[in-house]
Amino acid sequence: MATRSGVLMTAQDLIGRITSGEPMTVLDVRWQLTEPDGRSAYLAGHLPGAVYVSLEDELSDHTVVGRGRHPLPSGPTLTAAARRWGVCDGRPVVVYDDWNRAGSARAWWVLRAAGLTDVYILDGGLAGWKAAGGPLDTGAVEPDAGDVTLSHDDLYAGAMPTLSADEVDTVLLLDARAPERFRGDVEPVDPVAGHIPGARNLPSTAVLAGDGTFLADTEIDAQLARRGVGDAQAVGVYCGSGVTAAVAIAALTARGRPAALFPGSWSQWSSDPTRAVARGPQ
């Protein structure tokens, strides 16, 4: 299977695998901030054999308090969900979405944090699949139960690096939100506008090309250089609630640069009145 640094898979690669009949689990993780439930879009047309995954209900645990708007799920809960999706030990998983790689990057990060290594983001998402001539099916897919065993119960201390609110000043911190939210011009969701002091703005869309595919390594390097990120610097990423930050982390990981996630992100930070807030372009 041709992949980019074990993170991304092209539509042509996936089409070849599916056409040849090789075992593969495909997950549809459609989600947008303004339209968090992607099930109706999934039912109207999805990749053959793809199972719908709810970011809100299955890739987040809203019973957790004090850790932002999209707290990470627990390992046991995620294991049960992954088995419902048909995920099996030893079978690759490909995740995709239809909006700026947000849903697929969240699923990729969560599954990787839980210990699953053979999981890939479909580069270009649903649009890339269609552009490559991939077919679509309609209706729900009910897979056979999977048997996957995930090795981390606490994803906050799992296989992917994370930061707590007290640790964000130990790294060069990147904010993956839109520039107007970073500057504090607007804040449509969280209680306070602005950003974590010292953070630098790298919008998640800045690591994507116009067709929704991830930028090439040299272009990622250029984006980092514009923000003064040195080759040897430890990097952390946050966003509004830990979702779109995973897009930037996926891009950096594909480039060979690991980065830690602050899962609670701005929604956690801004809910604590004792935390300092910065506004403006820096």
Side-chain angles (χ1 to χ4, degrees), residues 14-84:
L14 183 55
I15 288 171
R17 280 281 175 134
I18 292 176
T19 301
S20 69
E22 296 187 41
M24 180 80 59
T25 299
V26 181
L27 304 179
D28 182 309
V29 198
R30 290 189 231 193
W31 176 91
Q32 297 186 34
L33 188 61
T34 57
E35 192 175 344
D37 186 354
R39 181 175 291 276
S40 61
Y42 160 81
L43 293 172
H46 55 77
L47 271 64
V51 177
Y52 177 69
V53 173
S54 169
L55 187 150
E56 293 289 334
D57 299 329
E58 299 174 299
L59 298 176
S60 308
D61 183 353
H62 295 289
T63 67
V64 176
V65 297
R67 284 186 158 177
R69 284 185 282 106
H70 288 101
L72 298 176
S74 70
T77 300
L78 183 63
T79 296
R83 290 179 177 178
R84 288 197 305 271

Side-chain angles (χ1 to χ4, degrees), residues 184-266:
D185 299 344
V186 297
E187 182 44 65
V189 185
D190 294 311
V192 178
H195 61 265
I196 298 175
R200 303 175 191 184
N201 189 210
L202 177 66
S204 60
T205 53
V207 302
L208 301 175
D211 62 358
T213 58
F214 283 81
L215 295 180
D217 290 350
T218 55
E219 294 171 299
I220 293 294
D221 290 343
Q223 291 284 359
L224 295 176
R226 291 189 194 105
R227 291 154 179 86
V229 182
D231 291 342
Q233 283 181 293
V235 173
V237 188
Y238 76 98
C239 57
S241 62
V243 174
T244 59
V247 180
I249 291 174
L252 293 173
T253 304
R255 176 63 187 94
R257 292 206 53 165
L261 172 69
F262 173 25
S265 288
W266 183 246

Side-chain angles (χ1 to χ4, degrees), residues 113-214:
L116 190 64
T117 58
D118 211 9
V119 54
Y120 307 92
I121 296 170
L122 177 61
D123 202 10
L126 182 63
W129 174 264
K130 292 178 180 178
L136 296 179
D137 289 346
T138 58
V141 173
E142 300 295 338
D144 294 335
D147 62 4
V148 69
T149 300
L150 301 176
S151 55
H152 292 276
D153 286 348
D154 182 2
L155 272 61
Y156 290 92
M160 296 289 280
T162 60
L163 298 166
S164 69
D166 293 328
E167 295 171 327
V168 296
D169 59 355
T170 65
V171 298
L172 192 155
L173 194 62
L174 298 174
D175 184 317
R177 295 174 300 161
E180 60 271 20
R181 290 185 70 191
F182 174 82
R183 293 191 302 265
D185 299 344
V186 297
E187 182 44 65
V189 185
D190 294 311
V192 178
H195 61 265
I196 298 175
R200 303 175 191 184
N201 189 210
L202 177 66
S204 60
T205 53
V207 302
L208 301 175
D211 62 358
T213 58
F214 283 81

